Amino acid sequence: MPLLRREIGDVLRSARQQQGRTLREVSGAARVSLGYLSEVERGQKEASSELLSSICDALAVPMSTVLRAVSDRVAAAEGLTIPAAAAATVPASPVGDLGIPPVVITRDGLVSAA
């Protein structure tokens, strides 16, 4: 059984790396310590809903998109069939304002450029 905190961390790290951003950049934008963000990404710390919201805002990725990817990853690990749905696409407008390219988080939690 996968740990929820590890799945969340994996999806957040994938989004950050796809954007070519460092832990320092995202931790500053999210107003969380670099060490704590690192622990969240590695699945060593359980992020509160407030912290998760701040990290998602800093990454310009809707929390619903992250949670959908995490849910699909957990379902797959449980051997459940994931409905064939379109990948969640991050809206381009708020992302573009930050100079960060939009990303797509697929049902299996992988992140790619839109």
Side-chain angles (χ1 to χ4, degrees), residues 6-79:
R6 285 196 186 135
E7 298 301 327
I8 290 171
D10 285 347
V11 171
L12 292 173
R13 181 174 44 263
S14 293
R16 178 183 58 78
Q17 289 175 338
Q18 181 61 39
Q19 293 175 7
R21 298 175 69 196
T22 66
L23 276 168
R24 186 173 308 283
E25 290 169 338
V26 175
S27 68
R31 295 188 174 119
V32 62
S33 76
L34 186 144
Y36 197 82
L37 178 58
S38 175
E39 288 179 315
V40 168
E41 282 192 0
R42 288 180 282 135
Q44 295 178 334
K45 292 288 184 185
E46 194 88 43
S48 68
S49 58
E50 292 86 359
L51 178 62
L52 183 57
S53 177
S54 292
I55 296 168
C56 288
D57 287 347
L59 291 169
V61 176
M63 189 185 322
S64 61
T65 302
V66 169
L67 294 176
R68 170 61 60 126
V70 169
S71 175
D72 289 347
R73 288 170 61 120
V74 171
E78 292 174 338

Side-chain angles (χ1 to χ4, degrees), residues 76-88:
E78 292 174 338
L80 299 176
T81 303
I82 302 169

